[in-house]
Amino acid sequence: MIKLWINGQRTQSHSTRSAEVINPATGCVIRQVPLADSTDIELAVAAASAAFPGWRDTTALRRSRIISRFRELLELHRAELAQLASEEHGKTLEDAAGSVQRGIEVVEFASGIPHLLKGEHAENVGRGVDCHSMLQAIGVCAGITPFNFPAMVPMWMFPVAIACGNTFILKPSEKVPSCSLRMAELFKEAGLPDGVFNVVPGDKAAVDALLAHPLVRTISFVGSTPVAQYIYQTAARYGKRVQALGGAKNHAVVMPDADLDFTADAIMGAAYGSAGERCMAISVVVAVGDIADGLVARLKAAAEKLVVGAGDQKGVDMGPVISALHRDKIMAYIDSGVAQGATRVTDGRGIKVSGYEGGYFVGPTLFDDVTPDMTIYREEIFGPVLAVLRVATLEAAITLVNSNAYANGTAIFTASGTDARRFQNEIEVGMVGINVPIPVPMAFFSFGGWKSSLFGDLHMHGMEGVKFYTRTKAVTTRWPEASDSNASTLVMPTMS
Ligand code: NAD
């Protein structure tokens, strides 16, 4: 049984509930994880609260040095973290290593915290009066993360929160708890004081205890839209600052002048990488004008060549999906695409992976002639299923994308700067790629979608992350000379 990480040590859970952690390539149980209860959460909050004053008062430079050491340890253990992510999630080792690297880049960003926390100063805002602002830590922050990026998504949150002087409780997905617990050990090895970072795997019960706890000041969430909405509403009701990132349906618009080979290659990686279980995966292609036939032919040929298998095997392009339940849900979506009249170009339902008969595999599936009323277009599938819709003009493509409830990422493939510029201006989506299929912003920019893909005001990491994890205080100062008059007045002070 896995242990929790509270106050700098592995801690036995008080919960009577647990779940199985399964290797999705084999279907075998690899470990048991406790589902933290309210007593566990109480202990984690107590540890994080006790650690807060000391950590807040540690200089930003010293915090930065500990974070830099943590980054070095993450680099040293990148392969180990990738192996844990691949084992519990199913993605290929190479893909897992890439996602760990993207997480490490957030830690690298957070190590610049002395510079990032500088406030503003203005001299003589009134006669003899100066004003400056400070960004101050908030207290105990909590993060709730999904199964699909076991290391990277937690690293969107806790390094920035902790760099800002807060303490943190991470509730990772119960399906992939091991990376988070290993990162907690590495952070301690880097010199992080006990209690600053705590990890409590669990499910809704643990989440609800965090949401209701009066000492938890902020909630960061990444997961599906219905849960994001629930988190946002509940946390706000309890008076907490909240950012809740939800699901996605990301469109790639392909213009008639796009380079077909380049575009098809880019879309293949974006649609089927990580078995489509990325929040920035391309799940819809909007083919404009006469490009569709050539594009679909290339996607079909490439999809038929993809090697599906266990993520730790050499030469494998695409691993399994997370669970038997999720595989069956994806299969039902494919059934519905066929039933509702989409053209089935490749069909991943019958796939068999020799030696891994218990694994949760779905082959790369491609539908053409999909229409906006079909279930496979409207709903997030979160699997290796790509839908091609055909439209006549860029305007129709933009209208289609803007009519979708989700608005996480999108991309346009074109040789025209004019079309690209119009797209970036008019599209109502949080992250846009121009000939870039998965426009995940670098750590020093911020990550987040719009509409049903994000509830809250601030995106993750980058300066929005720093803003989310700090409170601004403005200080107005006067040092009166003996000769200054200080006649009391009831008139609103103007300082001029
Ligand atoms: P999920 O919503 O089922 O779970 C996310 C987290 O919430 C987990 O820690 C889980 O334990 C917890 N949870 C689940 N149900 C809950 C409930 N009823 N009440 C309280 N907490 C609950 O998501 P998932 O299946 O782990 O991840 C896949 C989803 O995450 C997809 O929809 C994907 O698009 C989304 N995602 C979004 C982003 C983004 O940046 N927008 C990034 C990654 C994943």
mmCIF file of all heavy atoms in Angstrom, residues 144-148 153 156 171-174 202-204 207 221-224 227 230-231 245-248 279 380 382 408 447 453, ligand 1:
data_model
loop_
_atom_site.group_PDB
_atom_site.id
_atom_site.type_symbol
_atom_site.label_atom_id
_atom_site.label_comp_id
_atom_site.label_asym_id
_atom_site.label_seq_id
_atom_site.Cartn_x
_atom_site.Cartn_y
_atom_site.Cartn_z
ATOM 1 N N ILE A 144 -5.401 19.843 -7.435
ATOM 2 C CA ILE A 144 -6.084 18.572 -7.730
ATOM 3 C C ILE A 144 -5.808 18.280 -9.207
ATOM 4 O O ILE A 144 -6.112 19.115 -10.066
ATOM 5 C CB ILE A 144 -7.602 18.713 -7.468
ATOM 6 C CG1 ILE A 144 -7.845 19.052 -5.994
ATOM 7 C CG2 ILE A 144 -8.348 17.442 -7.868
ATOM 8 C CD1 ILE A 144 -9.076 19.900 -5.761
ATOM 9 N N THR A 145 -5.211 17.119 -9.495
ATOM 10 C CA THR A 145 -4.697 16.912 -10.853
ATOM 11 C C THR A 145 -5.279 15.656 -11.511
ATOM 12 O O THR A 145 -5.731 14.734 -10.829
ATOM 13 C CB THR A 145 -3.152 16.847 -10.823
ATOM 14 O OG1 THR A 145 -2.738 15.900 -9.841
ATOM 15 C CG2 THR A 145 -2.565 18.202 -10.474
ATOM 16 N N PRO A 146 -5.251 15.613 -12.856
ATOM 17 C CA PRO A 146 -5.853 14.503 -13.607
ATOM 18 C C PRO A 146 -4.859 13.374 -13.847
ATOM 19 O O PRO A 146 -3.685 13.483 -13.506
ATOM 20 C CB PRO A 146 -6.210 15.182 -14.936
ATOM 21 C CG PRO A 146 -5.104 16.167 -15.141
ATOM 22 C CD PRO A 146 -4.710 16.655 -13.764
ATOM 23 N N PHE A 147 -5.348 12.318 -14.501
ATOM 24 C CA PHE A 147 -4.484 11.138 -14.708
ATOM 25 C C PHE A 147 -3.512 11.302 -15.871
ATOM 26 O O PHE A 147 -2.517 10.590 -15.964
ATOM 27 C CB PHE A 147 -5.358 9.887 -14.946
ATOM 28 C CG PHE A 147 -5.941 9.807 -16.330
ATOM 29 C CD1 PHE A 147 -5.176 9.338 -17.397
ATOM 30 C CD2 PHE A 147 -7.244 10.215 -16.596
ATOM 31 C CE1 PHE A 147 -5.698 9.264 -18.681
ATOM 32 C CE2 PHE A 147 -7.769 10.163 -17.876
ATOM 33 C CZ PHE A 147 -6.994 9.683 -18.927
ATOM 34 N N ASN A 148 -3.785 12.249 -16.781
ATOM 35 C CA ASN A 148 -3.115 12.140 -18.079
ATOM 36 C C ASN A 148 -1.694 12.699 -18.121
ATOM 37 O O ASN A 148 -0.953 12.374 -19.038
ATOM 38 C CB ASN A 148 -3.984 12.734 -19.190
ATOM 39 C CG ASN A 148 -4.149 14.226 -19.073
ATOM 40 O OD1 ASN A 148 -4.276 14.746 -17.977
ATOM 41 N ND2 ASN A 148 -4.153 14.914 -20.190
ATOM 42 N N VAL A 153 1.430 18.078 -15.008
ATOM 43 C CA VAL A 153 0.354 18.963 -14.536
ATOM 44 C C VAL A 153 0.551 19.341 -13.062
ATOM 45 O O VAL A 153 0.427 20.521 -12.716
ATOM 46 C CB VAL A 153 -1.048 18.380 -14.837
ATOM 47 C CG1 VAL A 153 -2.124 19.184 -14.127
ATOM 48 C CG2 VAL A 153 -1.313 18.396 -16.349
ATOM 49 N N TRP A 156 2.754 22.207 -13.001
ATOM 50 C CA TRP A 156 2.201 23.506 -13.392
ATOM 51 C C TRP A 156 1.850 24.324 -12.145
ATOM 52 O O TRP A 156 1.750 25.538 -12.201
ATOM 53 C CB TRP A 156 0.907 23.337 -14.179
ATOM 54 C CG TRP A 156 1.036 22.865 -15.583
ATOM 55 C CD1 TRP A 156 2.187 22.690 -16.296
ATOM 56 C CD2 TRP A 156 -0.037 22.522 -16.463
ATOM 57 N NE1 TRP A 156 1.880 22.256 -17.564
ATOM 58 C CE2 TRP A 156 0.539 22.145 -17.690
ATOM 59 C CE3 TRP A 156 -1.430 22.489 -16.325
ATOM 60 C CZ2 TRP A 156 -0.242 21.754 -18.782
ATOM 61 C CZ3 TRP A 156 -2.192 22.096 -17.394
ATOM 62 C CH2 TRP A 156 -1.598 21.729 -18.613
ATOM 63 N N LYS A 171 -3.332 16.828 -4.381
ATOM 64 C CA LYS A 171 -4.177 15.624 -4.430
ATOM 65 C C LYS A 171 -4.094 15.112 -5.872
ATOM 66 O O LYS A 171 -4.840 15.524 -6.750
ATOM 67 C CB LYS A 171 -5.624 16.000 -4.061
ATOM 68 C CG LYS A 171 -6.499 14.893 -3.536
ATOM 69 C CD LYS A 171 -6.803 13.777 -4.476
ATOM 70 C CE LYS A 171 -7.640 14.076 -5.670
ATOM 71 N NZ LYS A 171 -7.615 12.986 -6.675
ATOM 72 N N PRO A 172 -3.122 14.204 -6.129
ATOM 73 C CA PRO A 172 -2.978 13.708 -7.504
ATOM 74 C C PRO A 172 -4.093 12.727 -7.849
ATOM 75 O O PRO A 172 -4.795 12.240 -6.963
ATOM 76 C CB PRO A 172 -1.625 12.986 -7.462
ATOM 77 C CG PRO A 172 -1.490 12.523 -6.049
ATOM 78 C CD PRO A 172 -2.198 13.547 -5.200
ATOM 79 N N SER A 173 -4.226 12.438 -9.124
ATOM 80 C CA SER A 173 -5.196 11.424 -9.543
ATOM 81 C C SER A 173 -4.860 10.097 -8.872
ATOM 82 O O SER A 173 -3.697 9.673 -8.852
ATOM 83 C CB SER A 173 -5.150 11.264 -11.058
ATOM 84 O OG SER A 173 -5.841 10.089 -11.426
ATOM 85 N N GLU A 174 -5.876 9.436 -8.363
ATOM 86 C CA GLU A 174 -5.684 8.139 -7.706
ATOM 87 C C GLU A 174 -5.193 7.074 -8.701
ATOM 88 O O GLU A 174 -4.700 6.025 -8.295
ATOM 89 C CB GLU A 174 -6.982 7.702 -7.016
ATOM 90 C CG GLU A 174 -8.182 7.464 -7.932
ATOM 91 C CD GLU A 174 -8.961 8.724 -8.333
ATOM 92 O OE1 GLU A 174 -8.360 9.820 -8.391
ATOM 93 O OE2 GLU A 174 -10.169 8.606 -8.603
ATOM 94 N N GLY A 202 -6.149 10.483 -3.437
ATOM 95 C CA GLY A 202 -7.521 10.244 -2.999
ATOM 96 C C GLY A 202 -8.488 10.503 -4.116
ATOM 97 O O GLY A 202 -8.083 10.691 -5.267
ATOM 98 N N ASP A 203 -9.775 10.531 -3.755
ATOM 99 C CA ASP A 203 -10.810 10.773 -4.758
ATOM 100 C C ASP A 203 -11.694 11.933 -4.302
ATOM 101 O O ASP A 203 -11.239 12.844 -3.604
ATOM 102 C CB ASP A 203 -11.591 9.490 -5.064
ATOM 103 C CG ASP A 203 -12.287 8.926 -3.821
ATOM 104 O OD1 ASP A 203 -12.177 9.556 -2.728
ATOM 105 O OD2 ASP A 203 -12.930 7.873 -3.919
ATOM 106 N N LYS A 204 -12.979 11.879 -4.614
ATOM 107 C CA LYS A 204 -13.881 12.993 -4.310
ATOM 108 C C LYS A 204 -13.888 13.341 -2.813
ATOM 109 O O LYS A 204 -13.975 14.519 -2.447
ATOM 110 C CB LYS A 204 -15.296 12.640 -4.789
ATOM 111 C CG LYS A 204 -16.328 13.724 -4.563
ATOM 112 C CD LYS A 204 -17.629 13.370 -5.245
ATOM 113 C CE LYS A 204 -18.805 14.206 -4.782
ATOM 114 N NZ LYS A 204 -18.578 15.638 -4.711
ATOM 115 N N VAL A 207 -11.033 15.524 -2.082
ATOM 116 C CA VAL A 207 -11.241 16.825 -2.731
ATOM 117 C C VAL A 207 -12.251 17.646 -1.925
ATOM 118 O O VAL A 207 -12.025 18.833 -1.642
ATOM 119 C CB VAL A 207 -11.742 16.629 -4.185
ATOM 120 C CG1 VAL A 207 -12.161 17.956 -4.797
ATOM 121 C CG2 VAL A 207 -10.659 15.967 -5.034
ATOM 122 N N PHE A 221 -7.191 23.376 -10.062
ATOM 123 C CA PHE A 221 -7.733 22.098 -10.527
ATOM 124 C C PHE A 221 -7.470 21.943 -12.015
ATOM 125 O O PHE A 221 -7.599 22.903 -12.781
ATOM 126 C CB PHE A 221 -9.248 22.029 -10.280
ATOM 127 C CG PHE A 221 -9.902 20.816 -10.908
ATOM 128 C CD1 PHE A 221 -9.930 19.602 -10.239
ATOM 129 C CD2 PHE A 221 -10.464 20.889 -12.184
ATOM 130 C CE1 PHE A 221 -10.501 18.472 -10.828
ATOM 131 C CE2 PHE A 221 -11.039 19.768 -12.778
ATOM 132 C CZ PHE A 221 -11.065 18.562 -12.098
ATOM 133 N N VAL A 222 -7.141 20.710 -12.416
ATOM 134 C CA VAL A 222 -7.106 20.354 -13.849
ATOM 135 C C VAL A 222 -7.809 19.009 -13.977
ATOM 136 O O VAL A 222 -7.478 18.055 -13.266
ATOM 137 C CB VAL A 222 -5.666 20.262 -14.375
ATOM 138 C CG1 VAL A 222 -5.666 19.789 -15.828
ATOM 139 C CG2 VAL A 222 -4.962 21.611 -14.281
ATOM 140 N N GLY A 223 -8.773 18.927 -14.892
ATOM 141 C CA GLY A 223 -9.502 17.672 -15.094
ATOM 142 C C GLY A 223 -10.636 17.891 -16.067
ATOM 143 O O GLY A 223 -10.582 18.789 -16.919
ATOM 144 N N SER A 224 -11.689 17.102 -15.932
ATOM 145 C CA SER A 224 -12.800 17.168 -16.885
ATOM 146 C C SER A 224 -13.708 18.367 -16.572
ATOM 147 O O SER A 224 -13.745 18.859 -15.437
ATOM 148 C CB SER A 224 -13.595 15.869 -16.821
ATOM 149 O OG SER A 224 -14.087 15.692 -15.513
ATOM 150 N N VAL A 227 -16.356 18.216 -13.537
ATOM 151 C CA VAL A 227 -15.716 18.308 -12.218
ATOM 152 C C VAL A 227 -15.129 19.708 -12.028
ATOM 153 O O VAL A 227 -15.220 20.296 -10.942
ATOM 154 C CB VAL A 227 -14.654 17.188 -12.022
ATOM 155 C CG1 VAL A 227 -14.053 17.271 -10.630
ATOM 156 C CG2 VAL A 227 -15.266 15.810 -12.243
ATOM 157 N N TYR A 230 -17.825 21.953 -10.915
ATOM 158 C CA TYR A 230 -18.171 21.664 -9.525
ATOM 159 C C TYR A 230 -17.135 22.269 -8.570
ATOM 160 O O TYR A 230 -17.471 22.896 -7.555
ATOM 161 C CB TYR A 230 -18.254 20.139 -9.333
ATOM 162 C CG TYR A 230 -18.277 19.701 -7.896
ATOM 163 C CD1 TYR A 230 -19.428 19.842 -7.120
ATOM 164 C CD2 TYR A 230 -17.138 19.160 -7.294
ATOM 165 C CE1 TYR A 230 -19.428 19.457 -5.784
ATOM 166 C CE2 TYR A 230 -17.133 18.769 -5.970
ATOM 167 C CZ TYR A 230 -18.280 18.916 -5.214
ATOM 168 O OH TYR A 230 -18.287 18.535 -3.895
ATOM 169 N N ILE A 231 -15.855 22.096 -8.923
ATOM 170 C CA ILE A 231 -14.766 22.619 -8.084
ATOM 171 C C ILE A 231 -14.864 24.145 -8.006
ATOM 172 O O ILE A 231 -14.736 24.746 -6.939
ATOM 173 C CB ILE A 231 -13.388 22.219 -8.690
ATOM 174 C CG1 ILE A 231 -13.225 20.707 -8.764
ATOM 175 C CG2 ILE A 231 -12.228 22.927 -7.966
ATOM 176 C CD1 ILE A 231 -12.792 20.017 -7.529
ATOM 177 N N LEU A 245 -9.291 24.149 -14.574
ATOM 178 C CA LEU A 245 -9.142 23.894 -16.004
ATOM 179 C C LEU A 245 -9.903 22.626 -16.367
ATOM 180 O O LEU A 245 -9.793 21.607 -15.668
ATOM 181 C CB LEU A 245 -7.658 23.745 -16.375
ATOM 182 C CG LEU A 245 -6.886 25.049 -16.584
ATOM 183 C CD1 LEU A 245 -6.862 25.927 -15.343
ATOM 184 C CD2 LEU A 245 -5.462 24.771 -17.038
ATOM 185 N N GLY A 246 -10.681 22.686 -17.457
ATOM 186 C CA GLY A 246 -11.551 21.574 -17.814
ATOM 187 C C GLY A 246 -11.140 20.871 -19.099
ATOM 188 O O GLY A 246 -9.982 20.927 -19.522
ATOM 189 N N GLY A 247 -12.098 20.224 -19.719
ATOM 190 C CA GLY A 247 -11.861 19.393 -20.900
ATOM 191 C C GLY A 247 -11.671 20.209 -22.164
ATOM 192 O O GLY A 247 -11.600 21.440 -22.141
ATOM 193 N N ALA A 248 -11.611 19.491 -23.288
ATOM 194 C CA ALA A 248 -11.248 20.172 -24.535
ATOM 195 C C ALA A 248 -11.774 19.432 -25.752
ATOM 196 O O ALA A 248 -12.088 18.226 -25.687
ATOM 197 C CB ALA A 248 -9.730 20.274 -24.628
ATOM 198 N N CYS A 279 -4.947 17.060 -23.066
ATOM 199 C CA CYS A 279 -5.955 18.114 -23.133
ATOM 200 C C CYS A 279 -5.722 19.032 -24.326
ATOM 201 O O CYS A 279 -6.592 19.782 -24.723
ATOM 202 C CB CYS A 279 -5.923 18.941 -21.863
ATOM 203 S SG CYS A 279 -4.300 19.621 -21.581
ATOM 204 N N GLU A 380 -16.219 15.463 -25.737
ATOM 205 C CA GLU A 380 -14.796 15.128 -25.603
ATOM 206 C C GLU A 380 -14.672 13.612 -25.483
ATOM 207 O O GLU A 380 -15.291 13.005 -24.605
ATOM 208 C CB GLU A 380 -14.204 15.783 -24.344
ATOM 209 C CG GLU A 380 -12.738 15.456 -24.180
ATOM 210 C CD GLU A 380 -12.107 16.023 -22.910
ATOM 211 O OE1 GLU A 380 -12.752 15.975 -21.844
ATOM 212 O OE2 GLU A 380 -10.965 16.506 -22.991
ATOM 213 N N PHE A 382 -11.446 11.950 -25.626
ATOM 214 C CA PHE A 382 -10.203 11.722 -24.886
ATOM 215 C C PHE A 382 -9.621 10.351 -25.202
ATOM 216 O O PHE A 382 -9.279 9.563 -24.321
ATOM 217 C CB PHE A 382 -10.446 11.883 -23.381
ATOM 218 C CG PHE A 382 -9.280 12.554 -22.695
ATOM 219 C CD1 PHE A 382 -8.840 13.799 -23.094
ATOM 220 C CD2 PHE A 382 -8.622 11.945 -21.636
ATOM 221 C CE1 PHE A 382 -7.766 14.423 -22.473
ATOM 222 C CE2 PHE A 382 -7.549 12.562 -21.002
ATOM 223 C CZ PHE A 382 -7.124 13.809 -21.433
ATOM 224 N N ASN A 408 -9.952 25.214 -25.475
ATOM 225 C CA ASN A 408 -8.630 25.090 -24.860
ATOM 226 C C ASN A 408 -7.546 25.510 -25.855
ATOM 227 O O ASN A 408 -6.913 26.533 -25.696
ATOM 228 C CB ASN A 408 -8.412 23.638 -24.416
ATOM 229 C CG ASN A 408 -7.565 23.550 -23.175
ATOM 230 O OD1 ASN A 408 -7.674 24.407 -22.291
ATOM 231 N ND2 ASN A 408 -6.724 22.535 -23.087
ATOM 232 N N PHE A 447 -0.617 28.946 -19.193
ATOM 233 C CA PHE A 447 -1.403 27.900 -19.848
ATOM 234 C C PHE A 447 -2.854 27.986 -19.396
ATOM 235 O O PHE A 447 -3.143 27.935 -18.207
ATOM 236 C CB PHE A 447 -0.852 26.516 -19.470
ATOM 237 C CG PHE A 447 -1.555 25.375 -20.154
ATOM 238 C CD1 PHE A 447 -0.938 24.692 -21.194
ATOM 239 C CD2 PHE A 447 -2.840 24.996 -19.780
ATOM 240 C CE1 PHE A 447 -1.597 23.646 -21.842
ATOM 241 C CE2 PHE A 447 -3.503 23.964 -20.425
ATOM 242 C CZ PHE A 447 -2.872 23.277 -21.460
ATOM 243 N N SER A 453 -13.448 25.312 -21.019
ATOM 244 C CA SER A 453 -12.132 24.718 -20.737
ATOM 245 C C SER A 453 -11.433 25.374 -19.559
ATOM 246 O O SER A 453 -10.348 24.917 -19.157
ATOM 247 C CB SER A 453 -11.233 24.798 -21.984
ATOM 248 O OG SER A 453 -11.786 24.015 -23.022
HETATM 249 P P1 NAD B 1 -11.396 13.935 -13.761
HETATM 250 O O1 NAD B 1 -12.151 15.209 -13.832
HETATM 251 O O2 NAD B 1 -12.136 12.663 -13.724
HETATM 252 O O3 NAD B 1 -10.440 13.923 -12.469
HETATM 253 C C1 NAD B 1 -9.569 14.988 -12.184
HETATM 254 C C2 NAD B 1 -9.299 15.030 -10.695
HETATM 255 O O4 NAD B 1 -10.512 15.276 -9.996
HETATM 256 C C3 NAD B 1 -8.738 13.741 -10.130
HETATM 257 O O5 NAD B 1 -7.783 14.059 -9.157
HETATM 258 C C4 NAD B 1 -9.951 13.057 -9.511
HETATM 259 O O6 NAD B 1 -9.617 12.254 -8.403
HETATM 260 C C5 NAD B 1 -10.806 14.230 -9.073
HETATM 261 N N1 NAD B 1 -12.244 13.963 -9.191
HETATM 262 C C6 NAD B 1 -12.862 13.128 -10.069
HETATM 263 N N2 NAD B 1 -14.198 13.183 -9.893
HETATM 264 C C7 NAD B 1 -14.430 14.070 -8.905
HETATM 265 C C8 NAD B 1 -15.612 14.558 -8.286
HETATM 266 N N3 NAD B 1 -16.814 14.145 -8.657
HETATM 267 N N4 NAD B 1 -15.481 15.476 -7.298
HETATM 268 C C9 NAD B 1 -14.277 15.919 -6.917
HETATM 269 N N5 NAD B 1 -13.118 15.485 -7.476
HETATM 270 C C10 NAD B 1 -13.188 14.572 -8.455
HETATM 271 O O7 NAD B 1 -10.354 13.957 -14.993
HETATM 272 P P2 NAD B 1 -9.370 12.810 -15.475
HETATM 273 O O8 NAD B 1 -10.172 11.713 -16.100
HETATM 274 O O9 NAD B 1 -8.402 12.473 -14.412
HETATM 275 O O10 NAD B 1 -8.557 13.596 -16.607
HETATM 276 C C11 NAD B 1 -9.009 13.741 -17.924
HETATM 277 C C12 NAD B 1 -9.693 15.079 -18.114
HETATM 278 O O11 NAD B 1 -8.810 16.141 -17.745
HETATM 279 C C13 NAD B 1 -10.052 15.354 -19.566
HETATM 280 O O12 NAD B 1 -11.323 15.924 -19.601
HETATM 281 C C14 NAD B 1 -9.003 16.353 -20.021
HETATM 282 O O13 NAD B 1 -9.393 17.190 -21.094
HETATM 283 C C15 NAD B 1 -8.795 17.133 -18.780
HETATM 284 N N6 NAD B 1 -7.519 17.827 -18.784
HETATM 285 C C16 NAD B 1 -7.548 19.174 -18.972
HETATM 286 C C17 NAD B 1 -6.367 19.874 -19.013
HETATM 287 C C18 NAD B 1 -6.374 21.347 -19.236
HETATM 288 O O14 NAD B 1 -5.319 21.939 -19.125
HETATM 289 N N7 NAD B 1 -7.481 21.985 -19.518
HETATM 290 C C19 NAD B 1 -5.142 19.196 -18.835
HETATM 291 C C20 NAD B 1 -5.163 17.826 -18.628
HETATM 292 C C21 NAD B 1 -6.363 17.149 -18.600
#
